[in-house]
């Protein structure tokens, strides 16, 4: 039972951290609970389907199919997350003004809702598939019973969710004044970390060169296996010894999103329009 | 405002998939086998400063996840399946790895000399 709880906790923590950050950043958007539930539902359904096809996936592209698939999921999530941060930057004012007027109406329109659903679904897709595969393995080897799986998975899920909720509430409290700025920058780092992680999958698949095998090594400061290392890994893409290509992806994504958020090339025109 | 990031990343990815099989033709290849939730060999010795490829064969019926933060690699090997992982040119040292689905039994290390 315990190994299931541990692994479900670890995977759920990742999902919960991503969701809580996205939710903190999209304060003022109505119907977010529904968005999370729908996203999780789609994500876990997808996870079950992927777990079912793992054999085929893993064997494809000369045994690197799974890495390429994971990289794909991450890059699509990077795209949607970037869109969200940039969109929020340009609509935040508008959003908070209308909320007072419209109340429960879903302010942001359907596009942004589906973007958020997709982000939640993608976040739960990869991690969910791992949970399914792991529990399948445990069941198949006859080590555990259904009730063990259920108890372990519930414990892990609750634990992971609690940490995510704590982060969410902590963020709302700590950054009350500059909530929007703080959360959107955290989201930028999360997105950049995902891009770097995606790059590392492509390196493992031999699609991309690593450029420099190890840019630096901070594993003696924060080990990648520690809880701290794992949480930082999800939130800001911390990895104790990134390769040159990972750093390149990280920096490029931060710079690109920052440019699209602030648009230095036509800042005057935008101000004039409003 | 409509962004084409998702489309862009998808098309990049498709491009990469077509390039993928070219990688790693003459590089040294090392093989790990999983039997009864343990790795064999448990210690793999590879040359320093040389890119290499790791092949993992899983003879168990259940899936396993090869994971190593030191090597910064994680990968699921389905039951009865085989995967390929590209490794960079490593510095001398010891790099532990484990099977995340059976962390008590499935342990090992790569020694780079």
């Amino acid at each position: 039972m315990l190994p299931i709880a541990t692994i479900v906790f670890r995977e759920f923590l990742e999902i919960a951290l991503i969701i809580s950050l996205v939710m903190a950043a999209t304060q003022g958007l109505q119907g977010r609970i529904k968005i999370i539930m729908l996203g999780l539902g789609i994500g876990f359904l997808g996870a079950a389907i992927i777990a079912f096809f793992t054999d085929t996936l893993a064997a494809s592209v000369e045994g690197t199919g799974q890495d390429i698939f994971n990289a794909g999921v991450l890059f699509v999530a990077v795209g949607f997350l970037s869109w969200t941060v940039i969109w929020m930057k340009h609509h935040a004012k508008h959003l908070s003004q209308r909320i007072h007027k419209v109340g429960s109406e879903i302010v942001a329109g359907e596009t942004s809702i589906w973007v958020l659903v997709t982000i939640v679904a993608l976040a739960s897709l990869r991690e969910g598939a791992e949970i399914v595969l792991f529990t399948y393995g445990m069941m198949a080897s006859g080590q555990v019973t259904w009730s063990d799986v259920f108890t372990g998975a519930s414990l892990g899920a609750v634990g992971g969710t609690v940490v995510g909720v704590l982060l969410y509430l902590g963020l709302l409290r700590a950054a009350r004044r500059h909530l929007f700025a703080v959360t959107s920058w955290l989201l930028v780092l999360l997105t950049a970390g995902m891009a770097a992680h995606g790059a590392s999958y492509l390196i493992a698949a031999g699609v991309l060169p690593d450029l420099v095998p190890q840019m630096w090594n901070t594993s003696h400061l924060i080990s990648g296996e520690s809880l701290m290392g794992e949480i930082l890994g999800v939130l800001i893409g911390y990895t104790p010894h990134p390769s040159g290509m990972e750093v390149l992806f990280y920096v490029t994504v931060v710079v690109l999103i920052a440019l699209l958020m602030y648009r230095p090339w036509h800042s005057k025109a935008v101000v004039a329009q409003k | 405002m409509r962004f084409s990031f998702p489309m862009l990343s998808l098309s990049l990815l498709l491009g990469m998939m077509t390039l993928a099989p070219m990688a790693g033709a003459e590089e040294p290849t090392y093989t790990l086998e999983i039997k009864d939730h343990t790795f064999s060999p448990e210690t793999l010795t590879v040359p320093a400063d040389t890119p290499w490829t790791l092949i993992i064969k899983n003879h168990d019926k259940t899936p396993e996840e090869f994971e190593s933060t030191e090597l910064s690699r994680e990968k699921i090997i389905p039951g009865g399946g085989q995967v390929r992982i590209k490794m960079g040119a490593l510095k001398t040292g010891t790099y532990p790895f484990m099977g995340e689905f059976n962390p008590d039994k499935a342990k090992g290390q790569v020694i780079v000399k």
Side-chain angles (χ1 to χ4, degrees), chain A:
Chain A
M1 187 193 88
L2 206 62
I4 300 184
T6 320
I7 212 155
V8 174
F9 172 77
R10 285 179 56 179
E11 310 299 347
F12 242 81
L13 183 68
E14 285 206 42
I15 303 171
L17 289 177
I18 294 171
I19 291 177
S20 53
L21 210 52
V22 170
M23 290 304 127
T26 51
Q27 278 292 311
L29 191 68
Q30 301 293 315
R32 288 177 308 152
I33 301 289
K34 271 186 215 152
I35 292 175
I36 301 177
M37 291 305 161
L38 187 60
L40 280 176
I42 297 174
F44 283 132
L45 188 70
I49 296 171
I50 289 165
F52 187 75
F53 286 110
T54 303
D55 294 17
T56 324
L57 188 60
S60 64
V61 206
E62 291 184 11
T64 59
Q66 186 202 332
D67 289 322
I68 293 174
F69 175 79
N70 280 336
V73 170
L74 281 167
F75 288 141
V76 175
V78 164
F80 280 95
L81 277 165
S82 316
W83 187 91
T84 306
V85 183
I86 296 160
W87 191 91
M88 288 300 290
K89 171 73 186 165
H90 295 287
H91 292 78
K93 233 183 187 170
H94 171 74
L95 249 177
S96 56
Q97 283 167 356
R98 278 196 63 188
I99 270 154
H100 299 297
K101 278 191 240 161
V102 192
S104 66
E105 186 193 332
I106 293 172
V107 191
E110 269 181 24
T111 320
S112 51
I113 302 248
W114 282 107
V115 168
L116 288 184
V117 169
T118 311
I119 290 172
V120 176
L122 289 176
S124 44
L125 189 66
R126 273 183 332 119
E127 315 301 335
E130 282 193 26
I131 296 175
V132 175
L133 278 175
F134 173 71
T135 39
Y136 161 74
M138 297 284 282
M139 299 281 297
S141 58
Q143 297 171 43
V144 291
T145 62
W146 271 111
S147 69
D148 288 342
V149 170
F150 185 76
T151 325
S154 317
L155 272 176
V158 169
T161 310
V162 165
V163 179
V165 170
L166 283 179
L167 172 82
Y168 175 76
L169 295 176
L171 264 179
L172 292 196
R173 262 187 99 86
R176 202 179 302 157
R177 268 200 168 175
H178 306 285
L179 182 69
F180 179 70
V182 171
T183 49
S184 48
W185 273 104
L186 279 174
L187 218 48
V188 172
L189 298 184
L190 175 101
T191 308
M194 277 188 172
H197 195 179
S200 82
Y201 276 122
L202 291 183
I203 296 166
V207 176
L208 286 180
D210 55 12
L211 298 179
V212 182
Q214 232 185 64
M215 292 293 278
W216 56 75
N217 192 343
T218 52
S219 45
H220 53 286
L221 289 175
I222 304 172
S223 149
E225 277 147 6
S226 63
L227 184 63
M228 190 62 184
E230 262 181 49
I231 291 180
L232 285 178
V234 182
L235 287 184
I236 60 167
Y238 174 77
T239 166
H241 37 73
S243 63
M245 186 59 90
E246 287 171 78
V247 175
L248 182 67
F249 265 69
Y250 195 96
V251 173
T252 308
V253 167
V254 170
V255 169
L256 274 181
I257 298 181
L259 279 177
L260 287 166
M261 273 168 82
Y262 296 100
R263 299 185 190 173
W265 56 89
H266 66 177
S267 55
K268 275 176 192 159
V270 170
V271 173
Q273 267 179 18
K274 288 184 180 172

Side-chain angles (χ1 to χ4, degrees), chain B residues 1-45:
Chain B
M1 185 178 66
R2 284 200 154 248
F3 270 91
S4 54
F5 278 133
M7 288 313 293
L8 187 70
S9 47
L10 266 181
S11 45
L12 267 176
L13 192 81
L14 286 176
M16 284 164 172
M17 281 180 99
T18 52
L19 288 173
M22 290 173 12
E26 337 69 61
E27 282 166 16
T29 300
Y30 296 86
T31 306
L32 277 178
E33 313 212 13
I34 302 171
K35 262 183 210 150
D36 206 14
H37 309 304
T38 45
F39 288 107
S40 105
E42 288 193 324
T43 301
L44 202 64
T45 310

